[in-house]
Amino acid sequence: MKELENRIKAKTLVLTHGDSDGICSGAIAKTAYPDAYVYFTNPSNLLEKLRLIQDVKTLIICDIAIDERNCSELHTALREFAETSDLYYIDHHPLPKSCEKESWFYHDIEACSSELTYRVFEDRLDRDMRRVAIYGAIGDFCDNTPCLKNWVKDWDKRNLYFQAGTLTQAILYKGRDYEFKRKLLEPLSKDIIPSNIPELLKLAREAAINEEKLRLFVKYNVEVLRNSAYIVNTNNSISKAAIYAASYGRREVGIAAEYRERKVAYDLSIRSRGEVDVNNILRSVAPRFGGSGGGHPLAAGAQIPEDSLNAFLRAFDKELGEAHR
């Protein structure tokens, strides 16, 4: 927060998510506005960060889902910014039912934020920056849109996936190291390929070795419920752990939970391999246990209090079963 406090007077500010899609979105926005300062945040902290900003001329928010708990307050704060500055809210997460759309809100659940950010600022960008949008799309499993299919034709697809894989693996390996992500964003905004960014190939290799250890840990420790499978405290990437939990648990939905001592809660990643909308179920079940959550139909996240994890897992599993009826 101190870092943002020192930057609240930046004329152009980009607030974005810290995953591969968010980083690529931020890089594209920074290419459109080279003097912008980029800060990483998330849905639960966005409103708090907005309250620190002063006298901004252009505010760009990328890949930040709207938290149902403060949807009304957030809308009010954003509307105030829209009256005094150029506001762009670019996102692809499903919206809370109470959310109102505005002219400054660029939203499409069928595309990733990287693709949307490029499309919003296309007039300010070199055509080659589409490549960075493709990296973000691949990293966010959103590379099957009509737009992306057309853009991919301009490059060797095999190299695009190599570059995107290198980038995504390194980002996941570094976790919450936001200083690393900030340094990474700078060369991406100049369309430098990930394999030419110092240390990235080495980090991607280490990530691949680490993922293999994770895969084997999940294979031998996964817990299975009627409709889902879960793994707790892998001390590793929870998004990847959730994927392997579904695979080795032989269930449609995989869940990975990691305890966060500072929060006295578990962070969860949930991945679906079927047609059940885990986002809708999560938004319904998590609040009943003092938690929160949401995301996409096939990929979502949550935060659940420590003493409610087991009860939540079983209630969530029951709702999955009900959804199949």
Side-chain angles (χ1 to χ4, degrees):
M1 186 178 297
K2 288 182 179 179
E3 173 201 347
L4 184 56
E5 289 173 347
N6 293 332
R7 301 285 182 169
I8 54 178
K9 293 186 179 180
K11 292 302 179 184
T12 302
L13 187 61
V14 178
L15 303 181
T16 193
H17 196 208
D19 65 357
S20 56
D21 188 25
I23 291 173
C24 289
S25 298
I28 293 168
K30 186 166 179 60
T31 305
Y33 292 87
D35 295 332
Y37 180 75
V38 181
Y39 183 84
F40 295 104
T41 188
N42 57 63
S44 61
N45 291 329
L46 178 59
L47 184 59
E48 179 184 3
K49 299 302 184 289
L50 289 176
R51 288 170 176 160
L52 297 173
I53 299 172
Q54 300 173 2
D55 302 323
V56 67
K57 183 178 179 181
T58 303
L59 177 60
I60 303 167
I61 302 171
C62 303
D63 198 31
I64 306 292
I66 293 180
D67 193 330
E68 276 183 301
R69 295 172 300 177
N70 56 30
C71 180
S72 179
E73 288 181 89
L74 181 62
H75 186 268
T76 298
L78 291 170
R79 184 176 285 172
E80 291 175 359
F81 277 107
E83 292 175 355
T84 59
S85 61
D86 294 327
L87 175 63
Y88 301 87
Y89 200 119
I90 306 168
D91 186 47
H92 66 139
H93 295 88
L95 297 174
K97 294 180 180 178
S98 60
C99 184
E100 299 179 40
K101 291 188 178 180
E102 301 277 2
S103 60
W104 39 261
F105 193 58
Y106 302 85
H107 181 260
D108 184 351
I109 62 172
E110 300 298 330
C112 70
S113 287
S114 298
E115 176 186 331
L116 295 176
T117 304
Y118 180 90
R119 284 160 49 187
V120 169
F121 298 122
E122 186 169 6
D123 291 345
R124 289 175 166 263
L125 300 169
D126 186 286
R127 195 166 175 270
D128 284 349
M129 281 303 290
R130 290 179 177 180
R131 184 164 57 173
V132 177
I134 295 171
Y135 302 156
I138 293 172
D140 220 41
F141 303 102
C142 293
D143 54 325
N144 202 35
T145 68
C147 213
L148 261 294
K149 287 180 178 180
N150 187 50
W151 291 355
V152 165
K153 295 175 184 178
D154 289 334
W155 287 278
D156 185 322
K157 186 175 182 178
R158 295 164 296 185
N159 186 46
L160 285 174
Y161 276 79
F162 169 70
Q163 300 297 339
T166 297
L167 177 66
T168 302
Q169 288 286 77
I171 290 169
L172 287 170
Y173 186 70
K174 294 296 284 185
R176 288 180 167 82
D177 188 342
Y178 293 109
E179 186 58 32
F180 162 79
K181 294 179 180 182
R182 189 166 294 102
K183 291 178 180 178
L184 177 59
L185 189 141
E186 189 68 31
L188 282 175
S189 72
K190 297 174 181 174
D191 193 29
I192 294 175
I193 57 174
S195 59
N196 274 356
I197 298 174
E199 297 297 312
L200 222 58
L201 278 173
K202 178 183 176 183
L203 288 171
R205 179 179 181 276
E206 291 175 359
I209 294 171
N210 189 54
E211 183 176 337
E212 186 66 2
K213 295 177 182 177
L214 168 65
R215 180 186 69 83
L216 293 173
F217 179 85
V218 175
K219 180 178 181 179
Y220 296 113
N221 293 279
V222 66
E223 299 284 348
V224 179
L225 298 175
R226 183 179 295 274
N227 304 292
S228 61
Y230 68 92
I231 188 78
V232 179
N233 289 335
T234 63
N235 194 29
N236 213 307
S237 166
I238 58 174
S239 61
K240 290 179 179 289
I243 292 170
Y244 288 123
S247 173
Y248 287 109
R250 299 294 188 269
R251 292 295 183 269
E252 181 178 317
V253 174
I255 306 169
E258 197 76 28
Y259 182 64
R260 308 300 185 195
E261 186 174 357
R262 183 177 60 84
K263 303 175 183 176
V264 195
Y266 285 90
D267 282 348
L268 274 64
S269 179
I270 302 174
R271 295 292 184 268
S272 173
R273 306 195 297 176
E275 297 180 357
V276 174
D277 189 332
V278 295
N279 167 63
N280 279 340
I281 296 175
L282 192 54
R283 287 180 183 271
S284 170
V285 177
R288 299 195 317 229
F289 296 89
S292 62
H296 302 287
L298 301 183
Q303 187 175 108
I304 303 297
E306 176 185 10
D307 57 2
S308 298
L309 179 65
N310 288 331
F312 165 81
L313 289 172
R314 280 149 184 80
F316 185 80
D317 187 80
K318 182 180 178 181
E319 292 291 332
L320 288 174
E322 294 290 334
H324 276 297
R325 293 182 181 180

